[in-house]
Amino acid sequence: MRNIELTGYHSERLSTVDSFTKNLPELLAAMILDGGCLIALAEFADGRYVQFWVDLEVFVIGEVVSNLNIGDATVLSLEDEEELRGIGFSEPAPGPNPNWRHQATDSGSFTRLVNMMILAIYRVLREEPDNPVKIRTWEMARPLGVSVDEVRESRRVYVEQSPDQPEATTQ
């Protein structure tokens, strides 16, 4: 039995930013307890997003969209990027890490990641508590012997494309 109800990539649950941020620790904890490789994507009305990769090998990787990977959404300003650096996110780079990211490897860094993400949502992406957010959760197959970074790079897609479409453009 699953610890979390997955929406699948093509379905979503509509929520508010306030509800999402208040329930983020519970969502991620349920994903960790579920085991396997799970993804959560929270997309805001302007097309920008945050996402989480949960895998027992890496624990949790949290990402904030970057200008390398922003598509048609509102770009981040230099001040926004400086704020993400100040919060503690690692710089985006081509390959498996095109977004601002932070990896939690234990319970202490898990709490820090959640707090960093909430700061990024409110201070950098400038979301308001009552704004809508679409949340998707799905399982990602990771074959034995294939590293997390290899899967993250090969399956990375733009928000509007499905990770199970082989022709999807990688980010």
Side-chain angles (χ1 to χ4, degrees), residues 60-63 88-90 100-104 109 112-113 116:
V60 181
I61 299 171
E63 298 182 359
F89 285 95
S90 298
W100 293 89
R101 71 198 173 287
H102 184 75
Q103 182 174 346
S109 58
R112 181 167 188 254
L113 170 63
M116 289 170 62

Side-chain angles (χ1 to χ4, degrees), residues 61-96:
I61 299 171
E63 298 182 359
V64 177
V65 68
S66 80
N67 290 342
L68 286 178
N69 195 28
I70 206 150
D72 295 330
T74 305
V75 297
L76 299 172
S77 68
L78 293 175
E79 293 80 14
D80 295 336
E81 292 179 322
E82 194 57 42
E83 182 77 24
L84 287 167
R85 273 185 212 93
I87 291 171
F89 285 95
S90 298
E91 299 267 345

Side-chain angles (χ1 to χ4, degrees), residues 13-80:
R13 298 288 185 270
L14 190 59
S15 187
T16 64
V17 170
D18 181 60
S19 179
F20 172 68
T21 56
K22 285 180 177 172
N23 290 296
L24 184 57
E26 182 181 7
L27 170 65
L28 295 176
M31 291 171 69
I32 291 165
L33 289 173
D34 205 71
C37 181
L38 300 175
I39 312 297
L41 175 75
E43 184 180 358
F44 306 104
D46 65 2
R48 298 191 292 184
Y49 61 90
V50 297
Q51 64 186 10
F52 303 88
W53 179 283
V54 176
D55 185 299
L56 295 180
E57 184 177 314
V58 296
F59 204 48
V60 181
I61 299 171
E63 298 182 359
V64 177
V65 68
S66 80
N67 290 342
L68 286 178
N69 195 28
I70 206 150
D72 295 330
T74 305
V75 297
L76 299 172
S77 68
L78 293 175
E79 293 80 14
D80 295 336

Side-chain angles (χ1 to χ4, degrees), residues 1 33 113 130 162:
M1 183 171 173
L33 289 173
L113 170 63
D130 291 332
S162 170

Side-chain angles (χ1 to χ4, degrees), residues 132-153:
V133 60
K134 295 183 284 189
I135 303 163
R136 290 185 266 174
T137 53
W138 70 93
E139 188 170 20
M140 178 69 70
R142 185 165 70 85
L144 289 175
V146 178
S147 76
V148 170
D149 278 349
E150 288 173 316
V151 173
R152 287 178 61 236
E153 184 170 11

